[in-house]
Amino acid sequence: MSDQDGKKPLGLSGGARSGRVNQSFSRGRTKSVVVETKRKRVMVPKPGTAAAAQAEGNTRPSGVSDSEMERRLKALQAAKAREVEDAQRRAQEEKDREEERARKRAEIEAKEREEREREEALKAKAEEDARRKADEDARRNAPEAVAEAPAAPVEPTGSRGGGKPSSAPARKDNERDDKRDRGAGKGDRDGGRRSGKLTLNQALTGGEGGRQRSMAAMKRKQERQRQKAMGGNVEREKVTRDVQVPETIIVSELANRMAERVADVVKALMQNGLMVTQNQPIDADTAELIVEEFGHKVVRVSDSDVEDVIDQVEDKEEDLQPRPPVITIMGHVDHGKTSLLDAIRNAKVVAGEAGGITQHIGAYQVKTDSGALLSFLDTPGHAAFTSMRARGAQVTDIVVLVVAADDAVMPQTVEAINHAKAAEVPMIVAINKIDKPDANPDKVRTDLLQHEVVVEKMSGDVQDVEVSAISGQGLDELLEAIALQSEILELKANPERAASGAVIEAQLDVGRGPVATVLVQNGTLKQGDIFVVGEQWGKVRALINDKGDRVSEAGPSVPVEVLGLNGTPEAGDVLNVVDTEAQAREIAEYRENAAKEKRAAAGAATTLDQLLAKAKEDENVSELPILVKADVQGSAEAIIQAMEKIGNDEVRVRVLHSGVGAITESDVGLAEASGAPVIGFNVRANAPARNTANQKGVEIRYYSVIYDLVDDVKAAASGLLSAEVRENFIGYAEIKEVFRVTGVGNVAGCLVTEGVARRSAGVRLLRDNVVIHEGTLKTLKRFKDEVKEVQSGQECGMAFENYDDIRAGDVIEIFEREEVERSLA
């Protein structure tokens, strides 16, 4: 019978339970089960349903559906479950409280037991001291007692013989005392060794309640006992140590270096009037006094001593081997330096340079027909790259000065000559573009005489070669001249020592990280070497030569790209290989801190006058803030130097931040906060940075030629200049009579003697050719009408704004102001 019949289901007997059960489904949901018995078939509600609940005796109220009944049953079950959980939680809390009370009782009992044991130990010690004192007194008075003692008692005469003294009891007492003394002596001997050992009883009872002696204390005690057994009390000999004392040192560290107790060092400092703790620093002079007071020797060191690990040993003559020369190509813009090098290398480097000019230092190695290796450095010729050319001259052995035969000596040519002279390196003059019809090499040689460069054809000692990068004319003679000059120099280096070199260029590569182009000057740089370069350090992860091939090592005069730096170094930094990573990190941290302190000292005003002057200067000068991101470090440095030259006393360009690599979101955020544009030189912004710049309205400008960048920044800075105000005199008027007008004030009756008088113009009142007032006109009338202007020879009435002190005979000067836009030169 189903639950829709509204009747209670029939009960089942034992025979019914053993029957077969079939399920019936209605509308996809099980409502009841069919139980077949031997007698009859009955419908039994499915457990958990409303019908089952009704069958169990839970009468369902009228008007309540099956789903509502099931919901109420579930809520009832949930409430019962919560009651059970609450009961369990209360039981657990009660159990925890009982355990806490038991633990506290146990702690109190343990403390009371320790107190009782301590009192018993003190009492036992007092009794032992009293007993020992009594024994000593007894031993001290023993001779007197023996002398005054009566004769021993005589045994009574027995059947065995005459009387003898009774000595048996005394002998037993003496034996018992001897045993006790021997036991006490053994305890004294063993107690010294066993007092510091942990016994099973002590471990189970929690120890004696006191502090256990350390292993070092036990060893010191054993050493003292050994020395005492060998020859009595022997004082320990004082060990004198060499203590390194830096500029500042922590008290505990000083104690450790002296191998003294920290408490003794603190006590010595307090006796000298310094109330310090073990965690406070002290200066080197104070530390030196304390070290000398404890009997040690002082070795003063400084923070810069960390750089002493860099190998500065002079190479022996037998270790030196010939090395290839390093040749730097220098000269003016567009004189054919890179094209000449291309002709030597049979490459097309200039095709990859924006605008056809070299904007990076390129390092290449060329093998001549004779088998000689030559390392070339190609430096930019533009004026903005002065510092880059200076670094090229510093690491070079020979300078090849390229001068165009059709252009002669130019400003950057003179600059290259000065760099070569400052570096004290020999020079070879390559007169390029000799194949052009208007080439005049003799003019080049004559112009070089003005700069103290005398070539061989002018009876001098400087080699000169006429070459053509296009036709290849004179290239062999140029290489021959370089080889001859290198032979004269006898260039040698030790390839077996730790490598050192100079960073020619550095950049941040997206896929490879910081990459530095290094020219190895001494030693051999190998893969896996740990090095420090400027404020950065790293481990050589890979070496790539100028052809793009990976190499395992690079010897002297070999340019390679080094991967594995933790940051981008500055172009011109020196690379040194060290032994351990800790040394490299320590040197890099020291250099970074020293650079920060130097920058802070340079930017800080030391006196009040300097501070006020700097504040006044900043107040009167307008700034154009910019952010610069470049592809390589040398380009970023050159752009910054070019920006510093832009400006005058009224406006200047301020580089907020410069870096190497793509433009990021952080760059855009800084630009937005400062109201500055972002300048990208041969780099681009990534997608998040572009989206952020569009949302926040930050301008990003891309450049590939430095000329355009400098011109645009100069034009933007010119917009900050205040316009120049010029005065144009347009007329003079003479005051004939002064009239008093109610509501207006004094009005001057004037005659325009020269030019024209306009109401919108400015006026000055001259009395005896002295300016006594400058202002504007309040009114300009001719007869009774207000007019805009009055021509020369006509009469008019004038009144000044907020000024009435006018007299007959005064002259009024009339002028107009004109604003003229200015620009930076």
Side-chain angles (χ1 to χ4, degrees):
M1 182 174 63
S2 63
D3 56 350
Q4 285 84 357
D5 297 337
K7 299 179 182 180
K8 294 183 179 180
L10 298 175
L12 299 177
S13 62
R17 293 190 188 96
S18 63
R20 186 171 67 254
V21 179
N22 294 329
Q23 293 184 353
S24 62
F25 298 91
S26 174
R27 297 179 184 176
R29 181 177 176 185
T30 303
K31 293 293 184 178
S32 62
V33 294
V34 179
V35 180
E36 295 183 1
T37 64
K38 295 180 181 178
R39 299 180 181 178
K40 58 184 177 180
R41 296 179 63 188
V42 294
M43 301 295 291
V44 181
K46 182 180 178 181
T49 61
Q54 188 175 4
E56 291 175 0
N58 299 331
T59 305
R60 182 177 64 182
S62 60
V64 178
S65 62
D66 293 345
S67 60
E68 179 65 21
M69 192 64 186
E70 290 177 3
R71 187 186 63 78
R72 293 183 181 182
L73 288 176
K74 289 180 181 179
L76 180 61
Q77 291 174 359
K80 289 181 179 180
R82 284 196 297 271
E83 290 179 359
V84 172
E85 291 178 357
D86 293 341
Q88 291 177 353
R89 186 175 65 256
R90 286 193 295 271
Q92 183 64 31
E93 291 176 355
E94 185 65 26
K95 184 178 179 182
D96 294 342
R97 284 195 293 272
E98 288 294 334
E99 290 179 355
E100 182 66 19
R101 285 195 289 270
R103 186 181 61 80
K104 291 183 178 179
R105 283 197 300 271
E107 291 180 355
I108 294 172
E109 291 175 359
K111 290 182 180 178
E112 293 177 352
R113 184 169 61 252
E114 290 178 1
E115 290 293 334
R116 287 196 301 271
E117 290 177 355
R118 192 178 295 108
E119 291 176 359
E120 291 174 0
L122 293 175
K123 185 177 180 181
K125 184 177 180 182
E127 292 176 355
E128 181 68 20
D129 293 341
R131 187 183 63 77
R132 288 182 181 178
K133 186 175 182 181
D135 291 344
E136 290 177 0
D137 294 341
R139 284 196 299 272
R140 194 180 302 111
N141 299 329
E144 299 176 359
V146 171
E148 296 176 359
V154 180
E155 293 183 359
T157 304
S159 59
R160 292 188 179 181
K164 293 182 181 179
S166 177
S167 61
R171 187 164 52 250
K172 291 179 180 179
D173 292 340
N174 291 336
E175 291 176 358
R176 187 165 56 250
D177 293 340
D178 291 342
K179 290 179 181 179
R180 184 175 68 248
D181 293 341
R182 287 195 298 272
K186 182 179 179 182
D188 291 342
R189 289 193 301 271
D190 295 342
R193 286 187 302 173
R194 296 182 179 276
S195 60
K197 293 185 178 180
L198 181 65
T199 63
L200 182 60
N201 188 25
Q202 291 175 353
L204 294 176
T205 58
E208 300 177 354
R211 183 177 178 182
Q212 295 292 335
R213 303 184 70 180
S214 64
M215 184 61 68
M218 294 297 297
K219 288 182 179 180
R220 289 194 296 267
K221 184 175 181 181
Q222 291 177 1
E223 182 66 20
R224 287 196 297 269
Q225 290 177 353
R226 186 181 65 80
Q227 291 180 356
K228 184 176 181 181
M230 291 178 63
N233 292 330
V234 179
E235 293 292 333
R236 279 193 304 168
E237 190 173 334
K238 181 72 174 179
V239 179
T240 303
R241 292 179 170 82
D242 293 335
V243 181
Q244 293 185 350
V245 179
E247 297 174 359
T248 58
I249 187 172
I250 305 296
V251 175
S252 58
E253 177 64 21
L254 179 62
N256 291 337
R257 294 186 181 186
M258 293 190 298
E260 302 287 349
R261 296 176 58 210
V262 179
D264 296 339
V265 177
V266 174
K267 182 179 178 182
L269 288 167
M270 290 183 177
Q271 290 175 352
N272 284 277
L274 289 176
M275 308 300 291
V276 296
T277 63
Q278 62 177 355
N279 296 323
Q280 289 181 339
I282 57 176
D283 58 82
D285 296 334
T286 305
E288 184 175 355
L289 294 175
I290 298 301
V291 171
E292 292 177 350
E293 185 175 337
F294 279 88
H296 301 289
K297 296 180 180 178
V298 178
V299 179
R300 297 289 288 265
V301 296
S302 62
D303 294 338
S304 60
D305 292 340
V306 298
E307 294 186 325
D308 293 342
V309 298
I310 298 176
D311 190 9
Q312 299 292 346
V313 180
E314 293 292 333
D315 296 318
K316 297 180 181 179
E317 187 65 30
E318 58 269 18
D319 296 334
L320 298 177
Q321 298 180 13
R323 66 172 178 86
V326 179
I327 303 100
T328 300
I329 309 293
M330 303 180 77
H332 190 68
V333 177
D334 200 28
H335 276 202
K337 302 182 300 299
T338 308
S339 301
L340 181 62
L341 186 58
D342 290 344
I344 297 174
R345 296 176 58 237
N346 294 324
K348 290 294 180 182
V349 177
V350 73
E353 295 288 350
I357 63 170
T358 301
Q359 305 184 88
H360 307 124
I361 291 184
Y364 319 101
Q365 199 164 40
V366 177
K367 190 171 185 179
T368 62
D369 296 337
S370 60
L373 282 175
L374 304 177
S375 297
F376 283 93
L377 295 181
D378 180 23
T379 59
H382 186 260
F385 296 92
T386 301
S387 59
M388 295 174 66
R389 287 200 306 280
R391 284 194 296 271
Q394 288 169 359
V395 298
T396 190
D397 300 317
I398 302 170
V399 170
V400 174
L401 181 64
V402 178
V403 186
D406 61 341
D407 201 10
V409 176
M410 299 299 289
Q412 276 72 50
T413 309
V414 178
E415 190 176 339
I417 294 172
N418 295 332
H419 286 316
K421 290 182 178 179
E424 297 180 354
V425 292
M427 185 188 311
I428 298 174
V429 177
I431 304 176
N432 195 18
K433 302 183 181 181
I434 196 67
D435 56 335
K436 284 197 171 184
D438 54 347
N440 189 359
D442 292 333
K443 183 178 183 302
V444 173
R445 298 184 180 96
T446 305
D447 291 346
L448 289 174
L449 292 175
Q450 302 175 7
H451 305 285
E452 300 178 357
V453 177
V454 184
V455 299
E456 289 180 344
K457 289 192 176 180
M458 305 288 289
S459 302
D461 55 354
V462 177
Q463 300 184 72
D464 64 317
V465 182
E466 297 180 1
V467 296
S468 172
I470 303 299
S471 63
Q473 177 184 348
L475 294 182
D476 294 336
E477 290 82 355
L478 178 61
L479 295 178
E480 225 177 276
I482 294 173
L484 177 61
Q485 189 65 59
S486 62
E487 286 181 11
I488 296 174
L489 295 175
E490 295 183 354
L491 303 171
K492 293 183 179 180
N494 181 10
E496 303 300 328
R497 59 173 294 175
S500 63
V503 176
I504 302 301
E505 192 56 87
Q507 61 180 338
L508 184 64
D509 194 284
V510 177
R512 300 183 297 173
V515 180
T517 302
V518 177
L519 178 68
V520 181
Q521 294 174 299
N522 210 345
T524 302
L525 185 63
K526 303 176 183 178
Q527 188 171 349
D529 284 347
I530 299 170
F531 61 89
V532 59
V533 49
E535 301 176 20
Q536 312 297 334
W537 66 277
K539 184 177 181 180
V540 178
R541 190 156 45 92
L543 296 174
I544 301 174
N545 61 13
D546 59 317
K547 298 178 179 62
D549 301 329
R550 294 189 64 164
V551 294
S552 59
E553 60 182 25
S557 301
V558 177
V560 288
E561 283 188 341
V562 179
L563 280 69
L565 293 96
N566 70 326
T568 307
E570 297 288 338
D573 288 341
V574 178
L575 181 143
N576 294 103
V577 173
V578 294
D579 296 331
T580 63
E581 184 177 317
Q583 292 176 349
R585 187 185 293 108
E586 190 176 10
I587 294 172
E589 289 177 356
Y590 162 72
R591 290 177 176 176
E592 184 178 0
N593 294 332
K596 286 182 180 178
E597 293 176 358
K598 185 177 180 180
R599 287 193 293 266
T606 55
T607 63
L608 182 60
D609 293 339
Q610 292 177 351
L611 186 64
L612 294 175
K614 187 174 184 299
K616 186 176 180 181
E617 179 184 352
D618 294 342
E619 181 180 356
N620 297 329
V621 177
S622 299
E623 288 185 344
L624 173 65
I626 62 171
L627 271 79
V628 176
K629 294 299 287 289
D631 55 342
V632 293
Q633 187 69 38
S635 298
E637 183 180 345
I639 292 171
I640 293 173
Q641 292 180 356
M643 296 300 103
E644 291 175 352
K645 297 178 181 178
I646 298 176
N648 52 21
D649 296 338
E650 298 180 30
V651 64
R652 64 187 176 192
V653 179
R654 180 186 176 195
V655 180
L656 296 176
H657 171 69
S658 64
V660 177
I663 300 171
T664 61
E665 279 188 280
S666 60
D667 299 328
V668 176
L670 178 59
E672 183 209 7
S674 307
V678 180
I679 305 297
F681 187 77
N682 286 333
V683 295
R684 293 295 182 267
N686 54 29
R690 289 196 301 269
N691 296 335
T692 305
N694 292 333
Q695 293 173 2
K696 298 181 178 180
V698 176
E699 182 182 10
I700 300 178
R701 290 199 172 193
Y702 302 118
Y703 296 93
S704 58
V705 178
I706 195 170
Y707 300 121
D708 301 335
L709 189 154
V710 174
D711 293 342
D712 286 357
V713 173
K714 189 179 294 185
S718 300
L720 298 178
L721 289 173
S722 58
E724 181 181 356
V725 178
R726 297 179 182 175
E727 291 185 357
N728 296 325
F729 297 97
I730 59 175
Y732 287 96
E734 183 179 354
I735 299 177
K736 297 295 185 180
E737 191 68 37
V738 178
F739 305 95
R740 181 70 182 178
V741 179
T742 305
V744 179
N746 292 339
V747 176
C750 305
L751 174 65
V752 179
T753 58
E754 183 179 345
V756 63
R758 291 194 181 96
R759 187 170 55 187
S760 59
V763 292
R764 293 190 184 95
L765 185 63
L766 306 181
R767 186 171 297 164
D768 297 331
N769 293 324
V770 176
V771 179
I772 60 174
H773 175 69
E774 180 177 345
T776 59
L777 290 177
K778 181 166 57 175
T779 179
L780 177 64
K781 289 188 176 182
R782 178 162 174 75
F783 301 106
K784 294 182 179 182
D785 301 326
E786 245 347 289
V787 293
K788 291 183 178 180
E789 64 179 29
V790 178
Q791 297 294 329
S792 176
Q794 297 178 351
E795 295 182 347
C796 61
M798 295 184 186
F800 293 91
E801 190 78 35
N802 299 325
Y803 192 78
D804 287 339
D805 184 17
I806 53 178
R807 302 177 187 175
D810 293 345
V811 177
I812 299 175
E813 184 181 71
I814 308 163
F815 61 90
E816 287 183 339
R817 292 186 176 91
E818 179 186 4
E819 291 187 354
V820 179
E821 295 293 335
R822 293 189 298 162
S823 62
L824 294 171

